[in-house]
Structures are given as structure tokens and as C-alpha cells.
Amino acid sequence: MALLELKDINVSYGNVQALWDVNLKIDEGKIVALLGANGAGKTTLLNTITGALKPTSGEVLFKGERIDGLNPNRIIERGISYLLEGSRLFPDMTIQENLEMGAYHRKFWSGRKQDIERMYALFPILEERKKQLAKTMSGGERQMLAMARALMSNPALCLFDELSYGLSPKMAKAVFNTVKQLHAEGITVFLVEQNVRQTLEIADYAYVIENGRIVMECEGCTMLENDYIRQAYLGI
Amino acid sequence: MTVFLLVLINGCIVGSTYALMAMGMSTQYGVARILNIAHGEFIVLAAVVTYALQQSGLGLHPLFALVLACPIVFAISYILHITLYRRLRRLSPNLGVFEGNAILVSFGIYYIAQNLLQTYMGAAPKRYPFMMTSVNIGGAGISAAGLFVMLIAIVICVLYTIFLSRTRLGKSIRAASQDSQAAAHLGVKINSIMALCFAIGGILAACAGVLMSMREQFQSTSGLGYTTIAIIIVVLGGLGSVKGAILGGFILGIVGYTVSHFIDSVFMISVFYMIILVLLIVRPKGLLGR
């Protein structure tokens, strides 16, 4: 059974339909990628999973149970964590406080001290700078902190929106390496990206979305050899 | 030297209540994004409650009025938010439009509140006797009531900053003011936090009103003057910054007292506006603004 499954999802903003019959599966322990251009419907799809948007039809199943129509807090509680595009840290709070906010939900708050220690073990750079304000960090470090904050609630599934956006190639590489490391620890990751090549290099499975429809899906590495993908997304 | 002490201490006394007023306004703006023109009316309301309690002949200390004024103002502000502002926010296409509309709505509330206050208390200035002695500090005679007010105001400022920096609720308020969408995705219930912050701003206004009434007279029309000063301080300290509000409050208190001591109190507000004018050119985000 898949950890998360979308079945025939349709989503509209008023009269404008944004997602059409989307079917998608994320298996436990895998890195699954969703690729697509700006405005293709990637963030809409994420918002549907996190409960911020309600689908007009279709089902979202998490661990076999329907979660569409639940409010976002119930979904966080069940173990889905969402890292928004652009890291979205709290700039005037310290690194430690940002991490604490990752455990804001009542269910996780009491265990926040152990979780912070766990994050410091995973990202040692954060411990060295725990008293500094988040706004003093570089782009790559911010993304590390954002990932750590998303992991504070011990999620079964992490949704990462545009992790590499705005990072230098070197930083982007470091961030993707971290995702690989999380994967090795058994965390399930749903990567939503524009950086096609690096994403496909680490993804176990990938979907391509265009104009609100899933137009292609396959194992990550075979997609790199697909002519259409090479032409439309890699420009080779 | 004595004059210097006199101006400094009296300036801090005035500034300490300014800080409370501005902290309240800053909290309301920081999360709920409402620049509350009716802020001063809640200060007057709390002052009236204190005055009425003093006149009642129960012989209670005026500080006791906090127990009554804070819940009243909290409740009114909370209800205003969930009935009016929340609805307004839903109807506004974006945050900018909401901020503009919210100012207009708060103007409406200001007129209603001011007229209600005037109906209840009349136009005459109100004052009750409290700690009429003065204390000699380095040759300067300082009013004992003023020192008492400053002490309590500083305690409230300290408690409030501790609340913001140490508690789960306080942290969520700061997070929501810095990035409400990101906070929402971590489980912060933004709608309740906004209503709560608006009401907490009200509580701070109530504290300011109770303390203010202990050392100066007030009347039903005093509210807009308090609001104006609070807006100036909030802009000076940095919109939405609570520490900036405290710093700005004391600065403005000292500057204001200096002007009224050496020149004339009628020039006080003009000097405040000049400070803002210079600030907007030199550092538009305010002293501690983001």
C-alpha cells in the first residue's frame, strides 16, 4: 500500500480548473519527484495534500485513510510536513526558536528538546549557530534550517517545494545531498522541483505535470533518457 | 545637573506609559495588520473605569482597576475582531486592501466609542487624587505617583517581552507576525492568533489607561491624542516591533518632556512630527524595524 495516494483529483479556483484527474502514488521510504514549469499546478497539488485546498472531486489517501477535507492541523498531526517554497524562516527568531516552531503543534511540543538535539546531530552547523537570528544565514544554510524545521514533527512524509530555488549550483548540490541523506534514514520525501536534472538523479520515481495534468511518470533515471524530457526540460 | 535629572526622570515617567500604548498598537498591527485608530478610546475607557472605581468610595487602590478594565477591554476587542475585522479580512481581495479598510473601520469605531464615552462621562476633565507627595531625587522633586506609574509600566513591559520570548503562545505570535503563512503550515491557528493579538493590544491599552489616570487628567476626547502618539512611536520604533515600541516610547517621552519643560508643551506634537519626518527620510523602517 502506498503511503500517500491521490485518486482522480480535480481542483478549481472558482471557475478556473487547476488540476485535472491527477493520480499519484508515493511509496514509503522513497524519494518521489514532481516536475513541471511555473504555473503547471505543482503548488496547487501540494496545497491539496496539506489541506489548504479542498479538491472538487477525488480522494487523498494517507496510510490508507482519506484526508481530503480534514483541516490542515489534523493533517500535520497525522505526519505530513510541508516546506514552503523559499524556505520561509522566521527571520527575527533564532535558529533554535525556528526549530521549536517546527514542533508547534501540541502533539509534538513536549518532545521538542529531544527533536532539536536530533536535528543538531543531523545538521551540526545549526547547533554552532543556534543563538543567531535566522536572517543572518546564507541561502544554503536557510534551506538546511527549513528542512530541519520541517523534520521537527517526525513526519512520515515530507513535502519539499522548490528546495533548490535561488541557490547557487554548489549550494543546490549540498541540499540535494542532504535529501539523499534523509532518504537513507528512511524518511519519505516528495520533491517538487524545477531543477530537473539533479532531482531526477536522486528520485526513485518521478511525475511530470503540465497544465494541471500528469503527462508522464516513470522511474527517475529512465526519465533522464527520455527524448521528450531531454528536449522540453533539459534543453538537449 | 538637577534640571537634567528632572527632565530625564519625568521624561521616562511619561515614556513608560507611551511604551505601553505603543506596544499594544504594535501587537495589533504586527499580527492582525490593523492600525487601530480607536486605540486611544480604550485607553480612555480604562481610565474612566479607574476613575469610577475611585469615586465609588470603596477605598480600593487605583491599580485594582486593572482587574476590571483589562477583561472588559479584552472582551470588547476580541468580539470586535471576530465580528468585524475577521469578516473584513475575508472580504478583502488582498492584505493591502484589508489594511486600508481596517483603518477606515477603526475610524468608525473611534467615532462611536468617543461619543459613547462623552455621553457617559461628559466633556469635563477627570482627575482623582493619588499619591500627592513628591520625592527628592538628587535635588529634583519628582511626583511619587509618577514613579509608581513608571515602576508598574516597566514591570508590564518586562513581563510582556518575557511572554513573547519564552512561552509557546508568545513564540507563535512572533512567528505569525514574521511570516503568517509559514506559521499556519506549522499548525499555528492564524485566525485565533489574530483575534488574540488584537485583544492583547487592547489589554495593553487598558494598562496604559489605568496608569495614566493616576498621574494626569483626562477627558472623553483625549483618546485621539493618545492614538496619535502611539502611531508616532510605532513608526519611530519600527512597525510591528515590540522592543522598538518600548524604545520609541521612552525616547518620545524624554523628548516631549524636554520640549514642554524648556519651550512650551504646545510644541510637543510638532517636534514629534519633525522626528518622524527626519526618520522617514533617514531610516524609513524605524529604529528596530525589519
Side-chain angles (χ1 to χ4, degrees):
Chain A
M1 185 184 64
L3 181 63
L4 182 92
E5 190 171 0
L6 305 189
K7 280 186 182 166
D8 302 318
I9 289 288
N10 287 286
V11 177
S12 301
Y13 295 101
N15 289 328
V16 185
Q17 185 152 359
L19 293 181
W20 305 76
D21 300 318
V22 169
N23 284 287
L24 187 144
K25 263 186 191 178
I26 299 172
D27 286 320
E28 194 152 6
K30 293 283 193 310
I31 299 179
V32 177
L34 177 69
L35 304 171
N38 266 334
K42 304 192 298 291
T43 302
T44 303
L45 196 148
L46 287 177
N47 280 327
T48 311
I49 299 174
T50 58
L53 286 173
K54 311 277 176 250
T56 42
S57 68
E59 294 179 0
V60 182
L61 299 169
F62 183 62
K63 295 177 179 168
E65 289 170 45
R66 277 190 74 161
I67 58 165
D68 52 283
L70 288 183
N71 81 39
N73 265 313
R74 295 277 94 79
I75 293 175
I76 294 169
E77 201 174 281
R78 284 173 184 232
I80 297 182
S81 178
Y82 178 21
L83 189 160
L84 284 89
E85 181 178 349
S87 78
R88 305 296 285 271
L89 300 172
F90 304 117
D92 285 309
M93 295 175 90
T94 64
I95 287 163
Q96 182 149 346
E97 285 173 329
N98 267 280
L99 289 175
E100 280 181 313
M101 284 309 295
Y104 173 78
H105 195 288
R106 285 228 174 270
K107 193 178 163 195
F108 314 120
W109 185 253
S110 57
R112 68 190 184 284
K113 294 225 163 65
Q114 295 91 294
D115 287 322
I116 288 177
E117 289 310 315
R118 203 162 50 83
M119 288 309 129
Y120 286 159
L122 209 54
F123 304 95
I125 177 107
L126 298 182
E127 182 162 25
E128 287 165 29
R129 309 181 53 182
K130 63 183 172 188
K131 298 281 178 212
Q132 288 182 28
L133 297 182
K135 66 180 172 193
T136 64
M137 303 174 93
S138 73
E141 290 165 346
R142 279 174 206 222
Q143 221 43 295
M144 299 285 174
L145 176 55
M147 279 195 266
R149 188 177 70 181
L151 291 168
M152 279 291 291
S153 56
N154 270 311
L157 171 65
C158 283
L159 313 175
F160 289 157
D161 195 358
E162 305 283 4
L163 268 186
S164 67
Y165 183 77
L167 295 183
S168 68
K170 195 177 155 209
M171 280 296 181
K173 201 166 176 201
V175 166
F176 281 113
N177 277 333
T178 313
V179 174
K180 254 177 20 192
Q181 196 189 337
L182 299 179
H183 176 236
E185 307 236 341
I187 294 165
T188 310
V189 177
F190 186 44
L191 265 184
V192 175
E193 270 290 344
Q194 296 197 43
N195 184 336
V196 174
R197 181 186 295 277
Q198 279 179 306
T199 305
L200 288 178
E201 275 167 9
I202 62 167
D204 296 304
Y205 201 83
Y207 292 86
V208 176
I209 187 168
E210 282 178 7
N211 299 320
R213 296 170 205 267
I214 301 282
V215 293
M216 188 185 289
E217 57 180 283
C218 63
E219 308 274 320
C221 43
T222 61
M223 205 177 261
L224 268 177
E225 284 140 30
N226 181 291
D227 282 341
Y228 175 69
I229 293 294
R230 288 169 72 97
Q231 269 178 14
Y233 290 92
L234 295 169
I236 326 175
Chain B
M1 185 59 200
T2 307
V3 174
F4 173 74
L5 262 181
L6 185 81
V7 168
L8 184 73
I9 298 175
N10 277 321
C12 285
I13 289 171
V14 179
S16 65
T17 32
Y18 282 1
L20 284 183
M21 300 183 327
M23 235 162 52
M25 179 167 270
S26 189
T27 302
Q28 292 183 332
Y29 182 78
V31 180
R33 296 278 149 178
I34 300 162
L35 192 67
N36 187 11
I37 302 297
H39 197 57
E41 308 316 304
F42 290 103
I43 298 175
V44 176
L45 175 62
V48 171
V49 169
T50 319
Y51 177 77
L53 217 59
Q54 286 302 298
Q55 298 300 308
S56 68
L58 292 171
L60 293 167
H61 193 280
L63 203 56
F64 184 80
L66 284 177
V67 182
L68 207 61
C70 289
I72 293 175
V73 176
F74 182 91
I76 297 175
S77 306
Y78 196 87
I79 292 168
L80 275 178
H81 192 274
I82 59 175
T83 53
L84 272 178
Y85 291 110
R86 185 175 290 178
R87 193 177 157 75
L88 192 66
R89 184 136 187 170
R90 245 199 331 267
L91 295 175
S92 303
N94 60 53
L95 196 60
V97 173
F98 169 75
E99 286 189 23
N101 288 342
I103 292 177
L104 294 179
V105 167
S106 74
F107 255 112
I109 295 168
Y110 153 72
Y111 282 117
I112 296 169
Q114 203 213 45
N115 279 291
L116 287 175
L117 283 167
Q118 200 152 13
T119 313
Y120 172 70
M121 63 188 271
K126 299 273 185 280
R127 179 80 205 262
Y128 56 85
F130 173 69
M131 291 175 87
M132 302 298 269
T133 54
S134 71
V135 182
N136 187 326
I137 300 176
I142 308 288
S143 122
L147 289 175
F148 177 78
V149 163
M150 179 166 71
L151 178 75
I152 302 295
I154 290 174
V155 168
I156 295 170
C157 288
V158 170
L159 286 179
Y160 187 60
T161 30
I162 291 176
F163 161 74
L164 285 179
S165 60
R166 297 284 155 83
T167 64
R168 176 171 177 267
L169 184 60
K171 283 174 187 171
S172 70
I173 288 175
R174 283 162 61 217
S177 81
Q178 292 171 31
D179 189 335
S180 60
Q181 202 192 359
H185 278 287
L186 297 170
V188 177
K189 295 189 180 93
I190 292 298
N191 273 332
S192 350
I193 293 283
M194 283 193 297
L196 194 67
C197 283
F198 193 70
I200 290 175
I203 288 191
L204 291 167
C207 294
V210 170
L211 292 176
M212 187 96 69
S213 73
M214 294 180 195
R215 48 169 291 275
E216 56 180 55
Q217 63 174 32
F218 62 94
Q219 56 201 63
S220 58
T221 50
S222 301
L224 194 59
Y226 300 147
T227 304
T228 311
I229 289 175
I231 292 176
I232 294 174
I233 296 170
V234 167
V235 175
L236 175 68
L239 272 180
S241 161
V242 166
K243 282 187 182 136
I246 298 175
L247 180 68
F250 279 94
I251 291 177
L252 229 56
I254 293 168
V255 170
Y257 195 85
T258 310
V259 171
S260 57
H261 186 82
F262 291 108
I263 313 168
D264 192 309
S265 60
V266 294
F267 292 113
M268 207 170 78
I269 291 284
S270 351
V271 171
F272 290 172
Y273 280 125
M274 255 146 63
I275 294 178
I276 290 301
L277 200 66
V278 173
L279 186 85
L280 288 179
I281 296 165
V282 179
R283 196 179 160 83
K285 62 181 179 171
L287 294 175
L288 301 181
R290 288 194 280 277

